[in-house]
Amino acid sequence: MPEQRFPDEFVWGAATSAYQIEGAAGEDGRGVSVWDTFCAVPGNVKDGDTGAVAADHYHRHGEDLDLMASLGLRGYRFSIAWPRVQPDGAGKPEQRGLDFYRRLVDGLRERGIAPMATLFHWDLPQALQDAGGWENRDTAARFADYAAIVFDALDIRDWLTVNEPKTVVECGHRWGIHAPGVQDDAKAFVVLHHLLLGHGLAAQALHQAHPGRRIGPALNLHPSYAADPSPAAAKMAWHQDGLENRLYLDPIFTGAYPEDTLAWIGERSPMPERVLDGDLAVISEPIDVLGVQYYTPRFVDGEGNRVQKYPTAQLDWLEVYPRGLYDTLMRLKSDYPEVPIVITENGVPAPDEVGPDGRVADPGRVAFLRDHLTAVRDALAEGVPVEGYYVWSLLDNFEWAEGYSARFGIVHVDYATQRRTPKDSALWYRDLITTGLLP
Ligand code: GBH
């Protein structure tokens, strides 16, 4: 592959989410979210960590904006905490919450950094959970109301609806390892349908009120491969592909759930009966951008078990396989209608610490980013319309059930002092942004 520059207009970004960085959990009228509740239960989160303070970004966003500018970022993806805007998930907006995001967006604009906002990165208002959460169809309607409030309040072109609906379904409702801690397949797939319905209703609301803006989902895709050449492994890899990828892509792009996956779901959940006439038309509201989040592949054997083929990073779910990102992008191009694609997350954790010389050496992350960006560049060369790349994450942050033990940032955060130190990967990324050339 000859050396090849990224396009001049390529959006080099970094991503975060509200609960993982903001802290200030009790301030300016913010309501309680399901993650506040989940973290309060001993055993749910490593070391009893919570997002109550996190990286204190709510108070330090001015400093963080300067940090973004110093790295030369062209884009910043953040999420809006629904409980800051509607503390109980419904009704009149809390102006102080909206004002925080207005200040953030103004600060980005002043620095020439394009904002991309996620409407829902898992921090559902607890009051809505008490009424059934995403299992309750009404939550999708509440979500569209909330979306309409922030669409009007914030001058942002690019929006993402739901971050990783699959993680909410699986970690939140099948395995119980994320909020709200439910372990029930019957409920989980009903939740899936309502998350997609909420996505579609929000997309419709944006298109009606603000033509010219763009919206789409942020899907975590896991390319699924047979771990061996047996027909049984090929069959299980296709089944896994249904659960990981087609279950989300097909309804959004084609207006139909994949039949094989829907049949499997129907054996464990009343979900198929909860799909009402007209729902799939809402869910397949045309999207303007597809957020793709890629971390790791799935290799499965003939029993459907996951097989690890490549070395893992600090967290053992993250098997490092850059080729999976290339395959994912090429698959989108061959199997689905063309829409602009943005890599809304990609990154890797390490137990980074500041060295005696004040540096944070994270060579593993530099290699990870280089190899995955090579995959992006190769897909671009094949004509996949990738507009930008947002590294996960700008800052070390609250890594959900792992608490603060896993650091995904390109900028180190010393939680005792809240001091920020750009890691070597951040300086590497800054240089890449300047040249557009992968070293
Ligand atoms: C994304 O989740 C999130 O959007 C982001 O908030 C998060 O910080 C980032 O990635 C890094 O994790 O898979 O059963 O072994 C990625 C989805 C869900 C993958 C939880 C790891 C761990 C449990 N993650 N999962 S399991």
Side-chain angles (χ1 to χ4, degrees):
M1 194 91 219
E3 220 180 41
Q4 212 179 338
R5 284 197 68 198
F6 281 83
D8 287 339
E9 62 281 7
F10 195 76
V11 181
W12 297 101
T16 63
S17 91
Y19 190 71
Q20 294 180 271
I21 63 165
E22 284 180 2
E27 281 177 56
D28 288 345
R30 176 187 175 281
V32 173
S33 86
V34 293
W35 269 95
D36 298 306
T37 307
F38 187 75
C39 290
V41 178
N44 278 351
V45 175
K46 198 166 188 171
D47 301 327
D49 288 343
T50 80
V53 177
D56 197 31
H57 169 76
Y58 193 79
H59 298 119
R60 293 166 198 267
H61 63 279
E63 177 189 347
D64 290 340
L65 284 162
D66 287 341
L67 187 60
M68 293 177 218
S70 75
L71 298 179
L73 296 188
R74 309 249 174 90
Y76 176 55
R77 171 184 178 231
F78 62 96
S79 82
I80 297 165
W82 187 347
R84 286 200 191 281
V85 175
Q86 290 179 304
D88 295 324
K92 213 169 85 19
E94 167 56 74
Q95 289 303 321
R96 291 172 295 175
L98 287 173
D99 284 344
F100 168 68
Y101 297 107
R102 286 195 190 102
R103 287 195 298 277
L104 182 66
V105 172
D106 288 349
L108 290 167
R109 193 148 289 121
E110 283 160 17
R111 291 165 180 79
I113 302 169
M116 179 178 233
T118 310
L119 291 167
F120 179 68
H121 202 124
W122 307 348
D123 43 0
L124 187 75
Q126 182 61 41
L128 293 184
Q129 187 61 44
D130 295 341
W134 288 103
E135 196 197 343
N136 179 351
R137 185 180 169 93
D138 189 53
T139 298
R142 298 281 70 75
F143 178 65
D145 288 353
Y146 149 68
I149 291 170
V150 294
F151 292 156
D152 287 346
L154 301 173
D155 179 15
I156 297 175
R157 184 188 66 158
D158 286 347
W159 296 85
L160 297 164
T161 53
V162 177
N163 181 72
E164 300 193 347
K166 180 170 63 189
T167 304
V168 179
V169 171
E170 296 192 343
C171 295
H173 295 83
R174 292 188 72 198
W175 308 327
I177 59 174
H178 281 190
V182 174
Q183 283 185 59
D184 185 337
D185 281 8
K187 293 179 177 173
F189 292 105
V190 173
V191 163
L192 153 75
H193 181 62
H194 294 155
L195 283 163
L196 295 185
L197 193 61
H199 153 81
L201 290 169
Q204 287 186 333
L206 184 78
H207 289 149
Q208 276 157 22
H210 300 276
R213 292 188 183 177
R214 310 194 306 172
I215 194 162
L219 301 181
N220 53 328
L221 301 176
H222 290 90
S224 178
Y225 307 94
D228 62 64
S230 69
K235 192 169 166 241
M236 291 317 297
W238 179 247
H239 169 69
Q240 192 66 21
D241 178 61
L243 278 171
E244 300 279 2
N245 306 313
R246 291 180 286 120
L247 187 54
Y248 303 84
L249 292 165
D250 286 15
I252 289 171
F253 279 109
T254 75
Y257 284 109
E259 274 177 32
D260 58 321
T261 314
L262 195 64
W264 185 89
I265 289 173
E267 289 165 16
R268 1 188 100 64
S269 168
M271 177 274 210
E273 299 144 36
R274 305 291 176 84
V275 181
L276 306 186
D277 283 353
D279 284 1
L280 282 155
V282 174
I283 291 170
S284 59
E285 169 76 7
I287 59 172
D288 315 293
V289 60
L290 176 67
V292 172
Q293 322 211 140
Y294 175 75
Y295 290 93
T296 203
R298 299 274 188 252
F299 292 95
V300 293
D301 67 15
E303 255 89 68
N305 298 310
R306 187 170 175 193
V307 178
Q308 189 209 313
K309 293 221 169 205
Y310 293 87
T312 58
Q314 181 196 3
L315 298 174
D316 60 12
W317 60 265
L318 207 165
E319 185 176 356
V320 180
Y321 188 62
R323 166 96 198 185
L325 177 53
Y326 175 80
D327 289 347
T328 296
L329 294 170
M330 293 302 284
R331 189 269 178 96
L332 288 169
K333 179 176 160 68
S334 67
D335 291 2
Y336 294 95
E338 182 164 315
V339 292
I341 291 172
V342 175
I343 312 293
T344 42
E345 287 184 25
N346 174 240
V348 70
D352 306 310
E353 284 306 336
V354 182
D357 55 356
R359 255 183 68 193
V360 185
D362 58 344
R365 180 172 293 104
V366 171
F368 182 98
L369 298 179
R370 182 200 60 215
D371 293 347
H372 286 78
L373 280 161
T374 301
V376 173
R377 190 199 59 192
D378 292 349
L380 272 169
E382 297 293 335
V384 182
V386 184
E387 283 189 354
Y389 174 94
Y390 291 70
V391 61
W392 184 270
S393 178
L394 176 68
L395 301 171
D396 288 339
N397 61 51
F398 175 75
E399 175 55 20
W400 307 113
E402 301 294 335
Y404 296 99
S405 66
R407 295 174 174 273
F408 272 87
I410 56 172
V411 174
H412 182 272
V413 176
D414 175 356
Y415 295 109
T417 60
Q418 293 295 349
R419 194 191 152 109
R420 276 78 163 128
T421 308
K423 303 179 189 179
D424 284 357
S425 57
L427 307 178
W428 176 88
Y429 196 52
R430 181 194 63 193
D431 291 346
L432 172 60
I433 295 171
T434 309
T435 63
L437 264 180
L438 276 174

